[in-house]
Amino acid sequence: MEFRVDRRSGVATYLQLVTQVKQALRLGVLEPGDRLPTAREVVEATAINPNTVLKAYRELEREGLVEPRPGAGTFVRRSLSRPEAAADSPLRLELSAWMARAREAGLDREDITALITAAVDANFREDTT
């Protein structure tokens, strides 16, 4: 797993790491038993403070998603993936096809992200009230 840090996002760096691990768990990229990169590996790849990585891993541990194994690293404890989100699932294939049509129509990444965010907000409105 490779972490990406967007320093201009306004989102705390440790939360960006937490979010990326959760997304990997939801998409099945990470499975129970997989080892997360060590703090040193993340620091070398992203040039962030090691304490930031450790804070992210502690948060994931607090949520029961990973577990540290002394001397061995941090390992995925449970998955968040669902069959409906698998790489070959009909929903994911439909979304990919829609995404291709949106790009062909001239929409850029920000346009597509705005559309998806609006659709998610509209469909989950009752969950936030």
Side-chain angles (χ1 to χ4, degrees):
M1 160 157 212
E2 292 184 27
F3 291 106
R4 299 171 318 281
V5 175
D6 182 356
R7 289 171 170 64
R8 294 175 289 163
S9 71
V11 176
T13 303
Y14 89 95
L15 285 177
Q16 291 183 44
L17 301 181
V18 168
T19 299
Q20 290 172 39
V21 169
K22 286 182 174 179
Q23 286 178 338
L25 291 170
R26 289 189 193 290
L27 297 175
V29 174
L30 287 174
E31 297 285 337
D34 288 346
R35 185 174 74 71
L36 295 182
T38 65
R40 176 181 289 184
E41 291 168 338
V42 177
V43 167
E44 288 174 3
T46 61
I48 61 175
N49 187 309
N51 289 329
T52 301
V53 180
L54 297 174
K55 184 175 182 179
Y57 284 11
R58 280 193 305 270
E59 177 63 20
L60 292 163
E61 180 185 1
R62 188 188 66 72
E63 294 184 29
L65 299 173
V66 301
E67 61 184 347
R69 295 181 191 162
T74 302
F75 291 82
V76 173
R77 187 174 190 181
R78 68 181 174 96
S79 176
L80 296 173
S81 70
R82 297 180 182 197
E84 296 82 5
D88 60 348
S89 74
L91 286 175
R92 197 157 163 181
L93 295 174
E94 285 178 42
L95 182 58
S96 291
W98 178 86
M99 195 80 58
R101 289 196 312 275
R103 290 189 73 187
E104 288 171 9
L107 298 180
D108 64 19
R109 184 182 193 103
E110 288 77 24
D111 296 329
I112 293 170
T113 300
L115 281 173
I116 291 173
T117 300
V120 169
D121 288 347
N123 284 285
F124 289 92
R125 185 167 301 170
E126 68 279 354
D127 292 347
T128 59
T129 57

